[in-house]
Amino acid sequence: MTSQPSGPHRSTHSPFAHLTVPNAALYRQVMGAFLAAKERFAVHLRPEDVHAALAPEHRPPDPDAVVKALDSLVEWGNLRADPDTSRVTAVEDFYRKRFIYQLTRAGEAAEQALSVYDEALGRRGALQAVALHDIVTQLRALLVIAAERAEGGPDAAKAHLALSALTGRFEALAENARAFMGSLQRTMDLHGVEVEVFLAYKDRLIQYLERFIQDLITLGGRIAVLIGELEQDGRAGVLLRLAAAREAADAAPEDAESAEEQAYERWAAKWSGLTAWFVSADGRESQARLLRGRALGAIPQLLAVVRQLNERRAGRSDRSADFRTLARWFAEAPDDEARHRLWRAAFGLYSARHLTVDADTLAERTAHPVPASTSWAEAEPLRISPQLRRTGSYERRGRARRVRDRSEQRHRLAEIAARQAEEIAAARARLATDDTIRLSTVGELDPVAFGLFLQLLGDALATWRPGMTNTVATSNDGSMEIRLTALADGTTAEIRTPGGTFRGPDHLIEITDLTRPGRAGAPRPGRDDWGGEP
């Protein structure tokens, strides 16, 4: 006899139901008591045993609360209840509700899943440089074991132990690296981090990253070489077969036939994962190389976060953030009157206090109405002395100051603007290339063209990330586009200007003037996204 529900009415996820109900903390404590009892090889627990096993701060004063919690867990499938007949001493005891409880397979699996979940949330991970040294040691040990083939064949026990140590260390390295980089990104996003703690922590963090990157560069290449030596002549496959045969020797009778092949598939998958982590192949970068690039990129990102924090602490204004805040205030304003007050407070645009609409003004407007659609340029001008706004007096004190004629200055400014526009257009035409060229063939540039070239080059390099070989960027005004591709021949480019010579690594470069008719927003036919032939 049991009170455990069965049949199709129970959900396969019902053992997790105790997480989303009232008194969830009590249910977790009760299940923890059963897990602790299992470690002591205790199978059944009575309600009084569970009540006594709870921590004093979580123990309810009424034991009936524990009984109700146990019954609910039985209903959800976490526990199994069996009649407790060991303490029956009279006929009346048969009519009393007495049960002993034990974990079900579903309940135990749910607790294991929750343990993994809690562990993953609390894990920060680490970049384990020591694990790299251990992997090198184990790979060398495997080379020594594989060399014993001439003396009767490798020792299966040694091969199995060395492979187990190698894969265990590698899996810990990979998992901790993933967890660390994830926590590092959350730290740089400044979500849930204290500023003072981060500023005190960033120097040690940067040194930590630099030390691991150095070890990864030196040891990663050594590991890749050792893996290549083990894969020569199929030596790695022989060792994997030995480890699989040794594991299959302990397989259950019903699994004996396929145990060795299944074990070999597991070992082959682990070895393939180790190889992919340290060896690049078929155009695919290794995980170690990707991790190195990600760690290298994290250092300037950390420094950018520090600059951002320093700007916040120094009180520097962020105009875009201010306007977003102001827009939110406008959206939250209760009515138009409040929005007008906010507008005046934010921008200081008040009505002209020296203008007054009186009876004479209204009479004049009635006699000579002016349509609201009349342009201010066509309406009758209103002559006002500038002294009125400064003094606040309506009395006329002498003649109004004569308005100064600034036509000559405006004409001069227009000429300067036109000349600058012509110089910029000429610079764009000078920099625009009809095809992909080498940076070293650009030649000599005038100061305007060189300044525009430096802005384009800076926009392109701002998008450059570790491991990239080409990039594309657009100028801030959207008038120019630059495509940059790195060269591996080690050549140097020189660009001569009246102020000196600009030198740097040579690149393939293509600059497009997007303002030229027929060029903006459409790629040239017969070319792919990087400027190369399809």
Side-chain angles (χ1 to χ4, degrees):
M1 178 179 178
T2 177
S3 62
Q4 181 183 3
S6 60
H9 299 289
R10 182 194 296 175
S11 170
T12 56
H13 299 98
S14 58
F16 294 96
H18 66 287
L19 302 176
T20 58
V21 296
N23 296 328
L26 176 60
Y27 294 127
R28 292 297 306 275
Q29 293 294 326
V30 170
M31 294 300 294
F34 278 92
L35 290 177
K38 183 183 176 183
E39 294 179 357
R40 301 191 304 270
F41 305 102
V43 178
H44 298 90
L45 290 180
R46 294 183 173 88
E48 55 268 24
D49 299 331
V50 177
H51 186 267
L54 297 179
E57 62 270 17
H58 300 290
R59 183 184 302 156
D62 187 5
D64 290 339
V66 175
V67 176
K68 293 180 181 179
L70 291 171
D71 292 339
S72 297
L73 290 169
V74 169
E75 181 181 354
W76 292 321
N78 301 77
L79 299 176
R80 172 181 172 178
D82 295 308
D84 185 7
T85 59
S86 61
R87 294 185 293 175
V88 175
T89 58
V91 177
E92 291 80 6
D93 292 336
F94 280 102
Y95 298 99
R96 296 177 182 176
K97 185 180 179 181
R98 296 176 183 271
F99 291 103
I100 53 177
Y101 301 87
Q102 72 178 47
L103 276 173
T104 63
R105 293 181 60 184
E108 184 177 356
E111 290 304 311
Q112 290 176 353
L114 292 173
S115 298
V116 173
Y117 176 77
D118 293 337
E119 180 184 356
L121 285 183
R123 178 185 299 167
R124 290 187 56 86
L127 299 177
Q128 298 174 316
V130 177
L132 295 171
H133 291 275
D134 294 343
I135 291 174
V136 171
T137 302
Q138 296 300 331
L139 287 173
R140 287 174 175 170
L142 286 173
L143 280 174
V144 174
I145 295 171
E148 297 175 354
R149 181 165 40 180
E151 304 173 1
D155 187 283
K158 291 181 180 179
H160 186 216
L161 291 175
L163 283 172
S164 298
L166 171 66
T167 55
R169 209 69 177 102
F170 162 68
E171 289 170 358
L173 167 69
E175 183 62 30
N176 277 280
R178 284 192 294 267
F180 178 82
M181 297 310 295
S183 63
L184 177 63
Q185 185 59 53
R186 289 190 292 272
T187 300
M188 289 188 294
D189 291 340
L190 295 180
H191 295 313
V193 63
E194 296 182 6
V195 175
E196 299 296 338
V197 174
F198 175 79
L199 292 176
Y201 172 61
K202 57 95 178 175
D203 289 333
R204 288 178 291 141
L205 181 59
I206 292 176
Q207 294 176 3
Y208 181 74
L209 288 171
E210 291 175 341
R211 184 173 66 252
F212 177 78
I213 292 169
Q214 182 178 0
D215 290 338
L216 187 60
I217 291 174
T218 56
L219 297 177
R222 194 180 308 171
I223 291 173
V225 172
L226 291 172
I227 291 175
E229 294 179 3
L230 278 168
E231 290 185 341
Q232 289 178 359
D233 303 327
R235 286 184 285 183
V238 173
L239 296 176
L240 296 177
R241 285 289 181 186
L242 290 173
R246 192 165 187 265
E247 280 190 0
D250 295 329
E254 59 270 16
D255 299 329
E257 294 183 0
S258 60
E260 183 173 350
E261 190 61 30
Q262 291 177 358
Y264 175 74
E265 291 178 358
R266 290 195 299 270
W267 280 110
K270 292 180 180 180
W271 182 261
S272 177
L274 174 67
T275 303
W277 223 85
F278 291 100
V279 180
S280 302
D282 300 330
R284 172 193 54 78
E285 289 187 333
S286 64
Q287 291 295 318
R289 186 179 182 88
L290 294 176
L291 176 61
R292 186 171 70 225
R294 183 66 186 84
L296 281 170
I299 295 177
Q301 292 182 25
L302 282 170
L303 297 177
V305 171
V306 173
R307 286 195 299 270
Q308 180 182 356
L309 292 176
N310 288 334
E311 290 179 359
R312 290 182 184 178
R313 302 174 82 188
R316 293 182 58 180
S317 62
D318 185 347
R319 182 172 297 178
S320 60
D322 292 343
F323 278 122
R324 285 193 297 268
T325 302
L326 184 61
R328 187 174 65 254
W329 288 351
F330 272 108
E332 295 174 352
D335 49 35
D336 287 343
E337 184 178 355
R339 282 184 278 272
H340 285 303
R341 290 198 304 270
L342 180 60
W343 173 272
R344 289 192 296 268
F347 300 102
L349 298 180
Y350 297 93
S351 59
R353 289 173 293 179
H354 57 278
L355 295 179
T356 301
V357 178
D358 51 14
D360 295 338
T361 303
L362 294 176
E364 178 67 19
R365 290 183 177 179
T366 302
H368 304 283
V370 178
S373 59
T374 303
S375 170
W376 63 269
E378 300 175 357
E380 184 179 355
L382 182 64
R383 302 184 181 279
I384 301 173
S385 172
Q387 296 292 331
L388 292 179
R389 184 173 179 84
R390 185 172 65 85
T391 61
S393 172
Y394 286 94
E395 296 180 1
R396 184 179 182 86
R397 299 180 180 179
R399 295 180 58 185
R401 181 177 299 179
R402 185 177 180 181
V403 178
R404 186 175 179 179
D405 185 7
R406 300 185 182 274
S407 302
E408 183 179 353
Q409 288 85 345
R410 287 196 297 270
H411 180 68
R412 182 179 177 185
L413 290 176
E415 290 180 347
I416 294 175
R419 185 172 67 253
Q420 290 178 347
E422 292 175 357
E423 292 176 350
I424 293 175
R428 286 202 299 264
R430 168 66 179 84
L431 292 177
T433 61
D434 295 330
D435 204 342
T436 302
I437 63 173
R438 296 178 73 99
L439 186 58
S440 55
T441 62
V442 171
E444 186 173 354
L445 296 177
D446 60 80
V448 177
F450 182 66
L452 182 58
F453 170 76
L454 286 182
Q455 292 179 7
L456 287 171
L457 188 62
D459 294 335
L461 295 178
T463 65
W464 203 276
R465 296 292 182 270
M468 294 177 59
T469 58
N470 45 32
T471 187
V472 59
T474 306
S475 60
N476 292 333
D477 59 358
S479 62
M480 303 288 289
E481 181 182 77
I482 180 172
R483 298 170 184 265
L484 197 64
T485 303
L487 294 175
D489 54 7
T491 57
T492 301
E494 292 186 357
I495 298 178
R496 296 179 301 277
T497 69
T501 302
F502 177 79
R503 295 184 179 88
D506 201 3
H507 287 71
L508 292 178
I509 189 172
E510 181 180 5
I511 301 177
T512 305
D513 185 1
L514 300 178
T515 62
R516 189 183 304 176
R519 299 293 295 274
R524 289 176 293 172
R527 306 191 62 82
D528 62 7
D529 289 342
W530 293 105
E533 296 300 329

